[in-house]
């Protein structure tokens, strides 16, 4: 696990200077489109590169491994899970419920994700999701440990139902 964290795509700057110039967001979007249309098992470096009209070796400049690609896809999904702050209620029950409903809706759109994303390392948007959940529970009359238990239970319900 320590080696995996040290090799994390999130600890490396985004590569630049290649033609075509690709962003992590574009790469994740292409992989998501393939997974939604054909299933995650069809997401390969070659297929993603072709969808981006780039060479496979060009894609490897941006994404070293399939694990990196998995991390980008998971982060793109977690970006979709985030609830805009204007849509979050002030009450902690309503706020955490809104987050759970949004999470469930995103997972329903990407039915392949639950199984395929299990081993993905958390990225920036996963951290934002966690922070959003903690902020939603800030005023809950619970001890910090109980708030974490509640978050785990809500995520289990949203992800597992």
């Amino acid at each position: 696990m320590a080696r995996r964290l040290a090799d994390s795509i999130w600890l490396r700057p985004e590569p630049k200077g290649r033609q075509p110039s690709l962003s992590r967001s574009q790469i994740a979007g292409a992989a998501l489109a393939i997974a939604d249309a054909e299933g995650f098992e069809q997401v390969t470096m070659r297929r993603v590169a072709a969808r981006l009209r780039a060479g496979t070796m060009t894609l490897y400049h941006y994404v070293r491994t399939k694990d990196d690609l998995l991390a980008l896809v998971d982060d793109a999904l977690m970006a979709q899970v985030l609830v805009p702050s204007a849509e979050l209620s002030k009450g902690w029950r309503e706020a955490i419920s809104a987050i759970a409903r949004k999470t469930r809706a995103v997972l329903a759109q990407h039915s392949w994700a639950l199984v395929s994303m299990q081993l993905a390392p958390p990225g920036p948007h996963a951290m934002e999701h966690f922070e959003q959940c903690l902020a939603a529970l800030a005023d809950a009359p619970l001890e910090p440990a109980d708030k974490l238990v509640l978050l785990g239970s809500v995520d289990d319900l949203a992800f597992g139902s």
Side-chain angles (χ1 to χ4, degrees), residues 6 24-25 31 42 45 69 78 89 95 103 119 122 137 148 152:
R24 289 176 175 167
S25 178
Q42 297 302 314
M45 297 294 245
L69 186 59
M78 293 310 294
S89 171
T103 301
L119 298 177
L137 291 178
L148 291 176

Side-chain angles (χ1 to χ4, degrees), residues 93-128:
R93 282 185 176 94
E94 294 81 12
I96 204 70
S97 295
I99 293 168
R101 283 190 299 274
K102 179 78 179 226
T103 301
R104 183 67 191 125
V106 168
L107 291 173
Q109 283 182 297
H110 307 286
S111 58
W112 51 268
L114 270 176
V115 173
S116 301
M117 298 291 106
Q118 286 179 358
L119 298 177
H125 289 109
M127 296 295 111
E128 283 183 70

Side-chain angles (χ1 to χ4, degrees), residues 12-68:
R12 299 190 304 263
E14 248 188 286
K16 297 185 184 345
R18 197 61 135 172
Q19 290 300 322
S21 180
L22 301 173
S23 70
R24 289 176 175 167
S25 178
Q26 289 172 305
I27 294 166
L32 271 172
I34 294 167
D36 285 342
E38 303 172 42
F40 189 74
E41 59 280 349
Q42 297 302 314
V43 177
T44 64
M45 297 294 245
R46 182 174 296 188
R47 298 277 315 277
V48 172
R51 186 168 186 95
L52 294 167
R53 293 187 168 91
T56 304
M57 293 314 292
T58 297
L59 185 61
Y60 276 107
H61 175 73
Y62 296 95
V63 182
R64 293 180 187 169
T65 66
K66 180 90 182 237
D67 285 343
D68 284 352

